[in-house]
Amino acid sequence: MKISLTQKYNVPGPRYTSYPTVPYWNESDFTSQKWIESFQKAFLESNSQNGISLYIHLPFCESMCTFCGCNKRITKNHSVEETYIKAVLKEWDLYCELLPEKPIIKEIHLGGGTPTFFSINNLEQLINGILCKADKAENYEFSFEGHPNNTTYDQLKKLYDLGFRRVSFGVQDYAEKVQKAIHRIQPFHNVAKVTFWAKEIGYTSIGHDIIFGLPFQTIENVIDTVEKTNSLKPDRLAFYSYAHVPWIKGNGQRGFDEENLPKDAEKRKLYETGKQMLSKNGYTEIGMDHFALKSDSLYKATTNKQLHRNFMGYSASKTQLMIGLGVSSISDSWYSFAQNTKSIEDYYLLLEHDKLPVVKGHILNNEDLIIRKHILNLTCEFETSWSKEALYFKEITNVLENLREIEKDKLIIIEGDKIKITEAGKPFVRNICMAFDLHLKRKSPETNLFSMTV
């Protein structure tokens, strides 16, 4: 019996927000001092030219969404806000003390958790506290994630006044049965309301996140969700595959049974149906899992070959240095990665002792830097080449051998020293990247680490 490409390539694999991926970081060779030296080097190389990016993790949520694998703290006690904001600003102060000149901020992204858990006053205190020690780049871009159920008009207006022009709202799916299974009851009315508010206020890029492969989800559900989404016409969309990772501690993915999840061909059909509808409605596929209207900066970055991918997802511009503030945040200097502690209590304790809350990381060697560039090329441009000496590596012969079956299935075209992903191959980008992942090839995981690729 012939198996489908979906069945053939639906294996556990990384999402490649970094390379090396977090499970393959060499923590034994990492120290906080090495991270400090690395980010200082990156700062001197890039601050005056491109500025830096800040990712700020705001972990609190009022209720648990059982599809979510992010680091969060569930509470309805909003008195936690002020203490957390003060801690984040203390962390920023520690970084600024290590910089030789005033930072120029190109990007700020508020992620979570639920950033709109925080009050207007505390969000204003956070952003003003950041900006009082920095300058804004001429073409800066500030963005945040909003929960449609608790985002208020006043929050949107205040963040707009503070310089935010991009917002993304988590939608997931509009079917009531699916929403109950993932514990995310969110009427269409709420999403429409915040979307219209954002447009009225003047946000230039409004995004919606929708997911395929959720428990009990059907073709009819996806059609209904995409039709409703199109009626609101967000500027960009993330159309993610649901990452089923029930082994991650505290992610709460227990609101349904395994048999309730769409499998293989059924799940693939959900994606193909949604993708076709989005294409008909004027959305272009950007990188992995993302779509944008031609008027959006993400589309323009794609056509100009300026699309970038990091721990914040896809970005229309690239900065060499991204500093992650807040519990569990990951920083990136291009030469190294550093992650903060995942424990809020430990985060507070380290800051009280005037220590950066970094607890692990990875220093990239020359091979890592080359492979990282190839994976960025594949995920951002759907092609890569090793014709230049700087991108050649000795294992390329083995990589090409690993890609022969994928080439036979017409998912890629190999021409001399160049690989191009075909239209049929775009849903399998993660599998193609895995062929380049030398860490993964040298040591296959012995336990569950990654979600399925398709």
Side-chain angles (χ1 to χ4, degrees):
M1 178 178 169
K2 187 177 180 180
I3 63 171
S4 68
L5 290 176
T6 299
Q7 291 172 309
K8 183 176 182 177
Y9 291 107
N10 194 22
V11 297
R15 296 202 169 212
Y16 291 111
T17 49
S18 74
Y19 181 84
T21 56
V22 177
Y24 288 96
W25 286 2
N26 182 1
E27 295 180 43
S28 63
D29 190 43
F30 177 86
T31 65
S32 292
Q33 184 56 39
K34 287 184 178 180
W35 161 243
I36 290 171
E37 292 169 1
S38 176
F39 95 77
Q40 287 175 327
K41 176 184 177 182
F43 180 83
L44 287 172
E45 290 177 350
S46 62
N47 183 57
S48 60
Q49 292 183 342
N50 299 313
I52 68 171
S53 296
L54 295 183
Y55 170 76
I56 306 174
H57 191 72
L58 303 175
F60 302 109
C61 300
E62 288 194 343
S63 63
M64 172 75 79
C65 300
T66 59
F67 67 89
C68 177
C70 299
N71 182 279
K72 65 268 180 187
R73 177 69 63 89
I74 308 301
T75 181
K76 293 184 184 294
N77 177 15
H78 284 262
S79 67
V80 299
E81 294 182 33
E82 190 174 346
T83 302
Y84 189 79
I85 295 298
K86 286 180 178 177
V88 170
L89 291 177
K90 172 67 179 291
E91 184 184 3
W92 175 235
D93 287 346
L94 292 177
Y95 271 109
C96 289
E97 288 170 7
L98 293 165
L99 298 176
E101 60 189 39
K102 202 172 187 180
I104 300 170
I105 297 181
K106 178 73 174 293
E107 293 178 308
I108 293 178
H109 182 72
L110 307 182
T114 307
T116 48
F117 173 97
F118 287 77
S119 71
I120 297 170
N121 289 340
N122 282 321
L123 289 171
E124 183 175 24
Q125 181 187 349
L126 172 65
I127 302 306
N128 285 338
I130 295 291
L131 295 180
C132 73
K133 295 201 170 185
D135 292 325
K136 290 185 287 190
E138 186 176 339
N139 55 342
Y140 69 90
E141 184 176 86
F142 295 173
S143 59
F144 72 98
E145 299 164 12
H147 193 316
N149 285 357
N150 66 17
T151 300
T152 67
Y153 183 92
D154 289 341
Q155 282 175 319
L156 286 165
K157 182 65 168 64
K158 175 55 68 177
L159 286 168
Y160 181 87
D161 292 342
L162 289 167
F164 286 75
R165 295 294 181 270
R166 187 164 71 81
V167 57
S168 60
F169 296 114
V171 173
Q172 325 328 332
D173 188 282
Y174 285 116
E176 187 176 351
K177 187 174 184 180
V178 175
Q179 290 187 355
K180 285 182 178 178
I182 63 176
H183 201 237
R184 176 85 172 208
I185 308 302
Q186 184 172 274
F188 172 70
H189 169 75
N190 288 359
V191 181
K193 180 175 63 177
V194 293
T195 300
F196 289 138
W197 280 345
K199 289 184 178 183
E200 176 188 326
I201 290 167
Y203 282 80
T204 55
S205 182
I206 301 167
H208 286 186
D209 295 348
I210 54 181
I211 297 178
F212 67 93
L214 291 167
F216 303 109
Q217 196 176 45
T218 64
I219 289 289
E220 291 73 26
N221 297 151
V222 169
I223 291 172
D224 179 64
T225 295
V226 174
E227 285 179 344
K228 284 185 167 71
T229 299
N230 186 56
S231 72
L232 302 178
K233 216 66 178 179
D235 301 280
R236 62 175 70 171
L237 285 161
F239 188 30
Y240 293 112
S241 168
Y242 163 58
H244 188 58
V245 287
W247 55 86
I248 294 180
K249 183 180 179 181
N251 71 352
Q253 295 183 353
R254 298 292 187 276
F256 43 87
D257 297 323
E258 295 285 335
E259 59 266 25
N260 302 138
L261 295 169
K263 301 289 195 306
D264 296 332
E266 181 187 2
K267 182 179 179 182
R268 195 72 220 153
K269 192 174 180 182
L270 298 177
Y271 173 76
E272 293 298 339
T273 299
K275 177 182 175 180
Q276 289 170 14
M277 292 179 67
L278 291 171
S279 178
K280 287 179 182 178
N281 291 323
Y283 290 93
T284 300
E285 188 171 17
I286 307 292
M288 297 188 295
D289 315 318
H290 286 69
F291 296 80
L293 296 175
K294 291 185 177 180
S295 56
D296 190 74
S297 61
L298 209 60
Y299 174 82
K300 294 173 184 176
T302 302
T303 57
N304 296 331
K305 291 189 177 295
Q306 294 178 332
L307 190 67
H308 184 55
R309 181 173 173 81
N310 56 28
F311 290 102
M312 296 190 291
Y314 281 104
S315 171
S317 60
K318 177 185 175 181
T319 59
Q320 182 175 330
L321 177 61
M322 182 186 77
I323 296 177
L325 302 176
V327 65
S328 79
S329 285
I330 297 178
S331 299
D332 177 3
S333 70
W334 183 257
Y335 306 113
S336 66
F337 302 116
Q339 183 169 26
N340 286 350
T341 177
K342 295 182 179 181
S343 163
I344 292 179
E345 290 74 20
D346 289 346
Y347 178 72
Y348 291 157
L349 186 62
L350 287 164
L351 289 168
E352 283 176 13
H353 288 85
D354 295 331
K355 294 181 179 179
L356 289 179
V358 168
V359 293
K360 70 175 183 178
H362 178 85
I363 307 298
L364 283 77
N365 59 31
N366 288 336
E367 178 188 272
D368 291 338
L369 291 168
I370 292 171
I371 300 300
R372 181 183 190 185
K373 182 59 178 172
H374 283 298
I375 287 178
L376 276 173
N377 289 343
L378 291 167
T379 56
C380 294
E381 301 176 15
F382 295 124
E383 63 182 41
T384 195
S385 171
W386 51 97
S387 58
K388 296 180 180 178
E389 185 178 349
L391 287 178
Y392 179 82
F393 58 106
K394 62 182 180 180
E395 286 86 353
I396 186 62
T397 304
N398 295 333
V399 169
L400 291 174
E401 193 60 36
N402 294 333
L403 287 168
R404 291 304 174 195
E405 191 69 17
I406 294 176
E407 181 187 30
K408 192 184 300 182
D409 288 327
K410 299 182 178 178
L411 305 181
I412 58 171
I413 296 171
I414 302 176
E415 293 179 340
D417 49 17
K418 184 176 182 179
I419 290 173
K420 186 170 184 177
I421 299 173
T422 65
E423 192 63 34
K426 287 182 178 180
F428 305 96
V429 175
R430 291 169 68 187
N431 301 83
I432 297 164
C433 289
M434 287 168 68
F436 279 82
D437 191 336
L438 300 183
H439 287 280
L440 185 65
K441 292 299 176 186
R442 289 166 184 159
K443 186 179 179 182
S444 297
E446 297 175 357
T447 58
N448 291 323
L449 292 178
F450 307 115
S451 60
M452 303 301 278
T453 55
V454 181

